[in-house]
Amino acid sequence: MGKKAKTSRKGKKAWRANIPTDDVDEFFEKSTKDALSGGSLTAVPSESLFYVDKTRDLSVKKKIEKHREKVLHYDSLLQRNPFVQPIPSSTAKKSKKKSEDLKAKRAETQDDSKNKQDSASGLVDLWSDKAGVDAEAKRKSKPSLIPAVEVEPPGCSYNPSVEDHQDSLAQAVAEEMQKIYKNELGPEPVPLTVRGEAVDEENMYFLDADNGNYDLEEENLGDDGDAASEQRPSKTRRVTHVELNRRARRKEQLKTEAKAKKIKQLSKEIDSLPDIIKEIAKEDEEKHKRHVRRVIAKQERLKSAPPRLGKQKFEPAPHQVLLSEDISGSLRKLKGCCTLVSDRFKSLQKRGLVVPTTKRKRK
């Protein structure tokens, strides 16, 4: 289709000729169609146009119910096994309220049973809200008594006083000497193999001879002993009634003596009750003092070193003390050293956050 030819708009007559009248024509056509069909549908009420069909199609309902009564093939296979429960199909559809109530009751009973089992076995459900609270409570570790950043003594400064510097030097020297004395005076390790002396041929001959004689002597003694035991006659002594009566009287006498001794011991203990009470109180006081000492010693030990976490023990870093030759009094002349990372790592080990390890030698 080509483009429409442009018409001249010169004068009012040309304008009137070019005005579109499509909407007017559509309105007239619609009005004539409505008049021929009996009126427009917009003015008619909806009740006259629509109605509710309240009749039931019983045949369709019967077909659906009959189809639902059928047992599927996989349900029939599962029904044969009494230990396998079939998956509930759409046959047992109930109202939504009843199903929701049943689900809520089942969930409550399952939660109660799970909580009981978990409390009995010590397990916790990770996805429940209570488990999250318990996990957060368990996750909180005890705060360390050792501070994160420890301030070194004033003798370790770049410009210390003479007395402080000498004290720090003496402490560092004492630590090094303690390590040396420990290595020198410590117990020697048990050797894996023990070196023995070589035995000459003559000594070997004497050893063999001794072993042979010893075995022969043992055999001779064994033979003599067996012969003597065979020669001895076995005699059985007959116990008379007099002996039996004497034994019974002795037994009764021992019983009466034991009873008298027990009564005497009880009377002594009753008389010494105040002394026993004093001894018990003294022992309790000593136990309490011992417990206090252990607690204080443990706290002091935790301040200096962490608890044992792994195979290796924590070894504290040596004091970073400058020698008297290296002290210059200014930060510009101070020698640089990369001890910051090692210091932080030792601090983590000391606070028990990292397992201490040994240094590995590079091959």
Side-chain angles (χ1 to χ4, degrees):
M1 296 293 291
K3 292 183 179 180
K4 290 183 180 182
K6 292 183 179 180
T7 57
S8 176
R9 295 193 177 185
K10 195 174 182 182
K12 289 182 180 181
K13 289 181 179 180
W15 292 355
R16 287 172 188 167
N18 295 324
I19 292 171
T21 58
D22 296 335
D23 52 352
V24 179
D25 296 336
E26 286 178 1
F27 175 73
F28 280 120
E29 285 179 5
K30 191 176 182 182
S31 59
T32 53
K33 283 180 182 179
D34 291 340
L36 290 171
S37 62
S40 63
L41 297 174
T42 56
V44 179
S46 59
E47 294 174 358
S48 61
L49 293 172
F50 305 102
Y51 69 95
V52 180
D53 187 8
K54 293 183 180 180
T55 61
R56 293 183 179 178
D57 194 355
L58 296 174
S59 61
V60 176
K61 190 177 181 181
K62 284 181 181 178
K63 285 180 181 179
I64 292 167
E65 288 178 355
K66 190 176 180 182
H67 182 68
R68 282 178 178 173
E69 286 175 0
K70 288 182 179 180
V71 180
L72 298 175
H73 179 63
Y74 74 90
D75 285 337
S76 65
L77 290 174
L78 292 173
Q79 281 175 1
R80 294 174 189 171
N81 193 347
F83 300 104
V84 179
Q85 295 180 356
I87 300 167
S89 61
S90 60
T91 55
K93 281 194 175 180
K94 296 181 180 179
S95 61
K96 291 183 179 180
K97 291 182 180 180
K98 288 183 180 180
S99 62
E100 287 175 0
D101 295 338
L102 286 170
K103 284 180 182 178
K105 287 179 182 178
R106 284 177 185 173
E108 287 177 0
T109 54
Q110 285 177 1
D111 291 338
D112 294 336
S113 63
K114 280 182 181 179
N115 291 331
K116 287 178 183 178
Q117 289 175 1
D118 294 342
S119 62
S121 62
L123 300 172
V124 183
D125 188 8
L126 296 174
W127 306 111
S128 63
D129 298 332
K130 293 180 181 178
V133 175
D134 296 337
E136 288 178 1
K138 286 180 181 177
R139 224 177 279 161
K140 291 178 182 177
S141 59
K142 293 181 181 179
S144 178
L145 299 172
I146 304 166
V149 179
E150 294 183 87
V151 181
E152 292 188 351
C156 298
S157 176
Y158 71 96
N159 189 19
S161 62
V162 179
E163 294 178 357
D164 294 338
H165 184 251
Q166 292 298 320
D167 292 340
S168 299
L169 269 178
Q171 191 175 358
V173 170
E175 288 179 359
E176 293 297 326
M177 292 303 295
Q178 191 175 2
K179 289 179 184 177
I180 293 166
Y181 291 150
K182 191 175 181 181
N183 291 330
E184 289 181 355
L185 303 175
E188 294 182 358
V190 179
L192 298 174
T193 57
V194 179
R195 293 181 180 179
E197 296 179 356
V199 182
D200 300 335
E201 292 181 359
E202 296 178 356
N203 295 332
M204 284 289 291
Y205 175 74
F206 287 120
L207 287 171
D208 294 338
D210 292 339
N211 290 333
N213 293 333
Y214 183 69
D215 295 337
L216 289 170
E217 286 175 2
E218 279 187 348
E219 289 175 0
N220 294 328
L221 284 171
D223 296 338
D224 296 340
D226 294 338
S229 62
E230 287 175 359
Q231 289 173 5
R232 285 175 189 172
S234 60
K235 293 181 180 180
T236 56
R237 185 182 175 187
R238 188 175 179 182
V239 182
T240 60
H241 289 286
V242 178
E243 185 70 23
L244 290 172
N245 293 332
R246 192 183 298 128
R247 287 180 185 177
R249 286 196 297 272
R250 180 65 180 166
K251 200 172 184 181
E252 288 178 1
Q253 187 181 357
L254 289 171
K255 278 185 181 179
T256 52
E257 286 178 1
K259 282 183 181 178
K261 195 175 182 181
K262 195 173 183 182
I263 292 165
K264 194 175 180 180
Q265 186 71 22
L266 282 171
S267 63
K268 279 184 180 179
E269 288 178 356
I270 290 165
D271 294 337
S272 62
L273 268 176
D275 298 334
I276 293 168
I277 291 166
K278 286 180 183 178
E279 287 179 2
I280 291 167
K282 194 175 180 181
E283 286 178 1
D284 291 340
E285 190 177 356
E286 287 179 358
K287 283 181 181 178
H288 180 67
K289 287 180 180 178
R290 203 181 301 123
H291 177 68
V292 171
R293 284 199 299 271
R294 284 178 181 173
V295 170
I296 294 168
K298 189 177 180 181
Q299 289 178 354
E300 293 293 330
R301 191 166 61 252
L302 288 174
K303 284 180 183 178
S304 60
R308 188 73 173 267
L309 296 177
K311 209 173 184 179
Q312 306 295 333
K313 287 184 179 180
F314 170 73
E315 294 183 2
H319 287 283
Q320 301 295 326
V321 188
L322 293 173
L323 298 174
S324 55
E325 303 166 358
D326 298 333
I327 295 172
S328 58
S330 65
L331 283 170
R332 291 181 181 179
K333 296 180 181 179
L334 190 67
K335 291 180 180 179
C337 56
C338 54
T339 57
L340 185 60
V341 177
S342 62
D343 179 50
R344 288 297 85 210
F345 191 68
K346 282 288 181 183
S347 175
L348 290 171
Q349 288 183 351
K350 195 172 183 181
R351 284 180 287 160
L353 301 174
V354 177
V355 179
T357 54
T358 54
K359 290 182 180 180
R360 293 182 180 179
K361 295 180 180 180
R362 292 183 180 178
K363 294 181 180 179

